[in-house]
Amino acid sequence: AGPASGADRFCYNELKGDRMVCVMEWRKKGVKSSIKTSLPLKLLKLLMKEKINELTVEDAEKRLPAVLRPVLMPMIRSYAKAAGVAGVLFAPYYIEGGLKGVISADICPGNREKTGWDREDRTLIADVSNIVQLTSERRAAFERSRRSLDWFRTLFESAPDAYFLNDLKLSLIHI
């Protein structure tokens, strides 16, 4: 997705405790890695206003409550400088109603080819976020089903009495 968007870096970020952490990325040759960089979840929630969010440092300042700007803007500027980010486009993904991660695309300082995001970029990042969300939900449902089956099997096989299962035609399924 990174090359298709013209971004310098495309990241998969996961919620780990109270921080959003970059755990996987694609990046252009010569672009600094952002693996293991993180932002506090509370700060991210202040900056996240929509399903698709486009931010520069200046945009971040506008989104923050005025009372928090003196404390948070130095942190944001420091993060942007350390990570080499001039602009970011990001979309959160949720599992079972809870925020689980963010898909993000970065433009780094010095990128003369890409200065902002267009509708196609927004569509791409929304699609990637939706795919991650659906895949994660399916994986979580499969794991719940497997645990339920394991629990039922253990209960059935360790029962002190004889039990059997049959279908609607009274054919034995399990003894």
Side-chain angles (χ1 to χ4, degrees):
S5 71
D8 292 305
R9 191 170 32 229
F10 209 89
C11 304
Y12 172 77
N13 306 275
E14 287 183 347
L15 183 60
K16 302 225 182 222
D18 63 347
R19 300 189 71 81
M20 192 63 66
V21 181
C22 177
V23 295
M24 193 181 330
E25 71 181 359
W26 167 90
R27 65 184 190 273
K28 285 183 179 175
K29 186 177 181 178
V31 171
K32 183 178 176 181
S33 175
S34 63
I35 297 287
K36 296 185 181 178
T37 59
S38 68
L39 283 174
L41 181 60
K42 289 181 181 181
L43 173 59
L44 183 64
K45 285 184 174 182
L46 288 171
L47 299 173
M48 197 167 46
K49 301 292 182 190
E50 303 165 12
K51 174 69 177 152
I52 308 296
N53 298 270
E54 182 177 345
L55 282 176
T56 62
V57 171
E58 295 78 25
D59 296 330
E61 188 167 12
K62 292 174 190 173
R63 289 191 181 190
L64 293 174
V67 69
L68 296 177
R69 289 178 191 155
V71 175
L72 296 178
M73 283 312 298
M75 181 189 309
I76 291 171
R77 285 188 187 95
S78 174
Y79 175 82
K81 185 176 180 181
V85 176
V88 64
L89 180 67
F90 68 96
Y93 64 91
Y94 300 84
I95 301 174
E96 297 175 352
L99 177 65
K100 295 299 177 193
V102 171
I103 303 300
S104 62
D106 302 343
I107 298 174
C108 297
N111 184 337
R112 288 170 178 50
E113 299 167 16
K114 185 83 170 170
T115 57
W117 307 103
D118 60 24
R119 189 169 53 94
E120 288 179 3
D121 296 328
R122 288 180 189 85
T123 300
L124 176 65
I125 204 153
D127 289 348
V128 171
S129 177
N130 287 336
I131 290 167
V132 168
Q133 181 170 327
L134 291 171
T135 303
S136 298
E137 286 174 346
R138 183 173 292 153
R139 185 179 303 134
F142 176 79
E143 284 301 313
R144 283 191 309 275
S145 175
R146 189 187 57 75
R147 283 192 304 272
S148 177
L149 179 62
D150 289 348
W151 177 84
F152 181 74
R153 179 176 285 121
T154 299
L155 180 67
F156 191 86
E157 291 175 353
S158 63
D161 296 321
Y163 290 95
F164 64 91
L165 289 176
N166 60 286
D167 62 17
L168 294 176
K169 295 179 184 176
L170 300 179
S171 298
L172 289 177
I173 297 171
H174 195 81
I175 299 177

